[in-house]
Amino acid sequence: MATGIIKQIFEDKWGEFKEKYPIRPTVLSEVKKMLTCKDMSEGYSKFCCPTCNEVRYVGFTCKSHFCTSCGRKATEQWVEKLSKELF
């Protein structure tokens, strides 16, 4: 599976960065979630087509606001909700 550029930077540099700088536990937790987002070892759903029997596995998302994939979805949902309240 393709990795986004931000996630790739974290995968490459996070270990080195956290050794040099003090980091709050919340940040450590959110970065760990982001790095394991859609990782099959963290759990997945299995979908099977009843017609052709094709099987597809989809890794669970992290649902972290820090994740560039999940955070974007959360932001879009927040904007949608806020726009309905304002207009």
Side-chain angles (χ1 to χ4, degrees), residues 5-6 8 10 19-20 32-33 75 82:
I5 189 71
I6 302 296
Q8 187 63 52
F10 271 90
E19 294 297 321
K20 288 184 179 180
K32 181 178 185 263
K33 282 189 216 176
T75 301
L82 192 60

Side-chain angles (χ1 to χ4, degrees), residues 39-84:
D39 185 341
M40 299 295 241
S41 68
E42 296 293 316
Y44 59 87
S45 292
K46 176 182 173 182
F47 298 95
C48 182
C49 176
T51 306
C52 68
N53 292 324
E54 179 184 352
V55 177
R56 185 159 299 184
Y57 298 91
V58 178
F60 293 148
T61 59
C62 67
K63 298 174 183 61
S64 169
H65 290 260
F66 188 71
C67 179
T68 54
S69 176
C70 298
R72 180 175 177 212
K73 291 175 192 170
T75 301
E76 288 172 355
Q77 290 171 349
W78 175 77
V79 167
E80 180 72 24
K81 180 182 174 201
L82 192 60
S83 67
K84 287 179 182 175

Side-chain angles (χ1 to χ4, degrees), residues 13-27:
K13 304 293 183 182
W14 181 242
E16 180 183 329
F17 183 86
K18 70 181 181 179
E19 294 297 321
K20 288 184 179 180
Y21 302 100
I23 301 169
R24 296 178 303 173
T26 303
V27 175

